[in-house]
Amino acid sequence: MFGNTPSAPVRAPEFVSGSDMWINSPKLTIASLRGKVVLVDFWEYTCVNCIRTLPYVKQWYDRYHELGIVIVGIHTPEFEFAKSSANVAQAVKRFGISYPVLVDSDYGNWRAYANSYWPRKYLIDPTGRIVYDHAGEGGYQKTESMIQSLLRKLHPGVRLPELLAPVRGSDKEGAVCYPTSPELYCGSRGIQSGQFAQYEHWRLGQVVAFDAPAPPFPRSQIVLKGRWQCLEECLRHPTKTAANQDAISVRYYAKEANAVLKSTSGAALTVYVTQDDRPVRKPDAGSDIQYDAGGHSFVVLNQPRMYHLTSNAKYGEHVLTMSSDADGFEVYSYTFSSCEVE
């Protein structure tokens, strides 16, 4: 993560877009936005770091758009399904985003801005030059302070609100962020990065029967039990089975755990989730966890997206296991976070 004020501001690249690539807005151009303050936010709707920045970006839009700021969220996909304009539009609605979003499924804008981060914010002054950029989470007050500085130049004497207070305790001064398990990928990228415990059985495109190693599982590696199909971007449970017959597990260290999941058919399906070989305790449940009458914890895959699975009170090491008796259950990646206020 970094914030940067260029010593010699550079001209912002023109947006690469067609009129059908915009959500919440007709087609915009950098040239047509001269005279306004523009915040360009590269994001991806399954990216946990992007999702965590959205409360700030949405409030900046609500606070300042009438004063001349234009926020453009450029959605550049990480996974094939995130290239779908319909899926992006669904995510925009789910997150309550009202500012313009440019669907950048061919990476045209990503390349034009020479970007390599999700999320990344570029602040453009009324002359069309990039005067500040920030990659990753954090830097919220500095970014808002830069927005206010440009607005004061645009509207001398304008009265602006106090900078936003942190929306989460983990964003406050004094929060401690412990080392976590790295982001884990379930497709060939994970194999190439050594994130797959049973790598010797990997057969791209084929259905393979896996025997899970005896616990304790290796730390920060994906462990499979039963029949799974290994694909370029994901691991797919390809057949209907008895409950808990096939499973995918990760021994991780963090405070919170998320997974990007998808139903191949698009129909909703149930995935059972356990932490440390038992249902996720309600105080430790992520926002997407539900419970059946028997107390079993599960998530319903109703959209291809990131699912928030666990949110423990304290940082620690756990084993997260997902299983489904349905076919077409796909797992793309895991992400973890660890910040807490001591």
Side-chain angles (χ1 to χ4, degrees):
M1 295 183 289
F2 61 91
N4 180 46
T5 303
S7 56
V10 296
R11 189 168 300 281
E14 187 54 83
F15 294 136
V16 180
S17 74
S19 58
D20 61 341
M21 296 165 63
W22 290 86
I23 300 170
N24 293 337
S25 173
K27 179 180 177 179
L28 299 175
T29 65
I30 290 292
S32 69
L33 296 176
R34 291 285 179 84
K36 296 182 179 293
V37 177
V38 181
L39 178 67
V40 171
D41 179 26
F42 279 90
W43 71 297
E44 209 270 7
Y45 83 81
T46 72
C47 164
V48 64
N49 307 102
C50 302
I51 292 169
R52 286 172 58 84
T53 68
L54 288 178
Y56 293 95
V57 181
K58 293 194 301 180
Q59 289 194 63
W60 294 337
Y61 181 72
D62 291 342
R63 285 178 152 212
Y64 304 120
H65 78 278
E66 290 186 357
L67 292 174
I69 190 170
V70 177
I71 295 179
V72 177
I74 300 183
H75 184 276
T76 310
E78 184 170 10
F79 301 109
E80 191 68 25
F81 65 76
K83 293 181 178 180
S84 162
S85 294
N87 286 342
V88 178
Q90 194 174 47
V92 166
K93 182 178 180 180
R94 183 172 68 253
F95 290 127
I97 295 171
S98 55
Y99 50 81
V101 172
L102 169 55
V103 181
D104 187 37
S105 295
D106 292 331
Y107 278 64
N109 292 280
W110 183 274
R111 290 190 294 270
Y113 279 76
N115 184 37
S116 55
Y117 299 94
W118 287 288
R120 186 162 189 174
K121 294 167 178 60
Y122 296 89
L123 193 56
I124 302 168
D125 73 8
T127 71
R129 296 184 181 276
I130 296 173
V131 294
Y132 173 80
D133 74 77
H134 181 87
E137 295 185 53
Y140 303 116
Q141 290 205 327
K142 183 175 182 181
T143 303
E144 186 177 7
S145 179
M146 290 293 296
I147 291 171
Q148 290 193 351
S149 177
L150 291 176
L151 289 175
R152 287 191 179 97
K153 291 179 182 178
L154 195 61
H155 303 289
V158 68
R159 296 184 64 180
L160 299 174
E162 294 291 322
L163 299 179
L164 282 171
V167 302
R168 293 175 293 264
S170 57
D171 293 335
K172 296 178 181 177
E173 283 190 37
V176 177
C177 297
Y178 298 98
T180 69
S181 291
E183 184 168 3
L184 302 176
Y185 291 92
C186 295
S188 59
R189 181 174 170 183
I191 288 295
Q192 293 162 5
S193 301
Q195 297 177 336
F196 195 84
Q198 300 125 305
Y199 71 92
E200 68 274 12
H201 299 299
W202 173 267
R203 299 291 183 274
L204 184 62
Q206 297 182 19
V207 176
V208 177
F210 292 90
D211 294 320
F217 294 153
R219 179 186 274 187
S220 301
Q221 289 191 312
I222 297 162
V223 174
L224 299 175
K225 181 182 76 170
R227 294 171 62 79
W228 291 85
Q229 187 176 18
C230 309
L231 301 174
E232 187 65 38
E233 287 192 335
C234 69
L235 287 163
R236 176 185 295 164
H237 186 238
T239 56
K240 294 182 181 293
T241 61
N244 299 317
Q245 179 176 322
D246 299 342
I248 180 169
S249 299
V250 172
R251 180 183 169 207
Y252 71 96
Y253 49 103
K255 185 174 180 288
E256 299 188 17
N258 314 286
V260 176
L261 309 173
K262 177 177 174 285
S263 165
T264 303
S265 68
L269 59 85
T270 298
V271 175
Y272 286 94
V273 182
T274 64
Q275 187 178 52
D276 303 327
D277 295 323
R278 59 178 180 269
V280 181
R281 296 174 60 249
K282 289 186 178 181
D284 299 327
S287 58
D288 286 303
I289 292 289
Q290 303 179 48
Y291 295 88
D292 63 19
H296 302 100
S297 46
F298 67 93
V299 293
V300 176
L301 271 57
N302 48 18
Q303 297 168 4
R305 63 178 177 89
M306 188 200 81
Y307 289 80
H308 185 208
L309 303 179
T310 65
S311 183
N312 294 84
K314 290 291 183 181
Y315 169 87
E317 185 172 275
H318 302 280
V319 175
L320 180 72
T321 299
M322 293 186 288
S323 63
S324 179
D325 56 4
D327 58 335
F329 161 42
E330 294 182 346
V331 188
Y332 285 76
S333 67
Y334 293 87
T335 53
F336 308 96
S337 58
S338 68
C339 297
E340 61 185 42
V341 180
E342 292 191 329

